[in-house]
Amino acid sequence: PALKELADRLRISNNEIVSVVAAVLRSANPPGDLSEFRISRETARRARASHRRQVAAAQREAFTPPPHAVVHWDGKLVKNVVGEEEHRQAIFISGRGHEEGKMLAVLPVKDGTGLTQARATARAIEDWSCASNVKALCFDTTSSNTGRVQGAVVHLQALLEKQLLRLGCRHHVMELVVRAAASNIFGKTSAPTDPLFQTLKKRWSQLDHSQYLRLDIANLPESDWLSHLRHRTVSYLLTVCVDTTSRSACLATS
């Protein structure tokens, strides 16, 4: 098992691992007779695949999902071993005890539609036996996720047969806010890479960081109101995550 794990960690191919094993046997004292061992690329492939399945099964068996879990997913076009582009979807879960997130799977999918993403996510959730623990969903605010008819969120709730708290990724939400402010000040851009921001990025290390001002929310006149709103929001979300009845009623009217 240790040799198989090392080969995977160092990304050693099956041909290379066969050569290494053969060289070790020949270097033994006395030298090993290679004809007495089953050494081939196919044998190495089967052994490594079997070991990976055993490790994966042990990981699933030892996994304890958080009581109020949030499921995250995101897709990306990547190149496979032959250089062809294919859709891959990463699914992970977070919650108490897994604040940094626990990767459940990185699955190949045929496309990036909402239904395909939902099916892949539901499959990973079922494989890890944590469907009953899922209380919320975190996702990019794209139409393939948020569409009210064909969005991944709608399909995933149907597959899991329950309503879930929807947590749109704050990073993507704030991108829209920043883009609106930047467009109002500098005008609309015609490309994803704005020359002004590219210049700022290149010269950032040369700027005097002690001279620019930061937005200090704590010292704003509305800080008390914001603190009160934060407290109410956190209290409400905790209640919704714990109380299934309240969560279903809330989402049904939203």
Side-chain angles (χ1 to χ4, degrees):
L3 183 58
K4 299 169 189 173
E5 292 177 4
L6 181 63
D8 283 347
R9 188 177 301 115
L10 298 180
R11 299 182 180 181
I12 299 176
S13 70
N14 293 328
N15 283 336
E16 291 170 335
I17 195 64
V18 168
S19 299
V20 170
V21 171
V24 170
L25 291 174
R26 285 195 294 265
S27 301
N29 189 14
D33 185 356
L34 300 186
S35 63
E36 297 179 358
F37 298 89
R38 297 178 61 185
I39 304 176
S40 69
R41 180 179 64 180
E42 185 60 22
T43 300
R45 186 194 66 78
R46 289 197 302 267
R48 295 173 74 174
S50 175
H51 177 68
R52 291 167 188 159
R53 287 193 294 268
Q54 293 174 11
V55 171
Q59 287 284 331
R60 291 192 181 97
E61 186 69 25
F63 176 63
T64 301
H68 308 300
V70 180
V71 172
H72 312 244
W73 72 89
D74 197 8
K76 187 176 181 64
L77 274 174
V78 297
K79 289 186 177 180
N80 57 24
V81 293
V82 295
E84 298 175 343
E85 285 193 338
E86 63 180 15
H87 288 271
R88 290 277 178 167
Q89 182 170 323
I91 304 111
F92 68 101
I93 197 169
S94 65
R96 185 172 298 175
H98 298 281
E99 286 78 5
E100 296 299 321
K102 166 68 175 178
M103 181 69 73
L104 300 185
V106 180
L107 301 175
V109 292
K110 63 179 181 179
D111 54 49
T113 62
L115 181 57
T116 299
Q117 293 185 75
R119 285 174 174 170
T121 304
R123 172 185 165 190
I125 292 172
E126 294 295 339
D127 285 347
W128 286 81
S129 304
C130 55
S132 61
N133 300 75
V134 176
K135 310 297 182 185
L137 305 174
C138 184
F139 46 87
D140 291 354
T141 53
T142 56
S143 59
S144 62
N145 286 329
T146 61
R148 66 182 184 86
V149 177
Q150 295 296 334
V153 172
V154 173
H155 286 302
L156 186 54
Q157 288 184 147
L159 291 170
L160 298 180
E161 299 181 343
K162 60 180 177 179
Q163 296 284 343
L164 297 165
L165 185 64
R166 303 180 184 186
L167 303 174
C169 174
R170 295 298 97 186
H171 175 82
H172 290 82
V173 171
M174 292 308 299
E175 275 186 342
L176 299 177
V177 177
V178 172
R179 185 177 68 179
S183 297
N184 187 55
I185 298 173
F186 304 109
K188 293 184 178 181
T189 59
S190 58
T193 54
D194 183 82
L196 181 62
F197 285 104
Q198 291 297 311
T199 302
L200 177 63
K201 179 180 178 181
K202 291 179 181 179
R203 298 183 180 179
W204 181 255
S205 60
Q206 305 172 13
L207 300 178
D208 184 358
H209 296 174
S210 64
Q211 296 299 315
Y212 66 86
L213 300 177
R214 295 182 178 180
L215 179 62
D216 189 356
I217 296 178
N219 293 325
L220 290 176
E222 300 86 355
S223 60
D224 292 339
W225 174 79
L226 289 172
S227 297
H228 178 65
L229 180 60
R230 175 184 179 277
H231 175 73
R232 286 181 55 192
T233 302
V234 171
S235 299
Y236 167 73
L237 292 178
L238 289 174
T239 302
V240 170
C241 284
V242 175
D243 188 347
T244 305
T245 304
S246 297
R247 181 172 67 253
S248 299
C250 169
L251 293 177
T253 57
S254 62

